Amino acid sequence: NDIIVIADNDEAGGNMKDKLVEKLGSRVSVIQLNKQYKDIGDMDDESIKALAFEFDKSIEAMLN
């Protein structure tokens, strides 16, 4: 099982991401948000789809 992390662009989000990567290593994929967004909740569906990551179809369907 792979884990996808989309951490907030703040200190707490960075710390969480670092701890997960440290503990789970290669099972963790990190998606970096553009600095203009504090978190993924600030993004519209098109911006989420444009992230440099291929989401599985079930997640993509939720964005339509």
Side-chain angles (χ1 to χ4, degrees), residues 2-54:
D2 293 330
I3 300 163
I4 301 168
V5 175
I6 306 174
D8 289 356
N9 274 330
D10 59 16
E11 185 177 352
N15 291 340
M16 181 221 32
K17 172 193 56 105
D18 293 344
K19 286 179 183 178
L20 286 171
V21 170
E22 179 183 314
K23 292 186 183 290
L24 301 173
S26 64
R27 293 181 52 201
V28 177
S29 297
V30 177
I31 299 174
Q32 289 295 126
L33 297 179
N34 187 309
K35 293 293 182 192
Q36 74 187 51
Y37 302 112
K38 180 189 177 296
D39 61 43
I40 197 167
D42 294 339
M43 300 172 71
D44 61 28
D45 290 353
E46 292 305 313
S47 297
I48 294 170
K49 289 177 187 177
L51 290 171
F53 189 84
E54 185 157 329

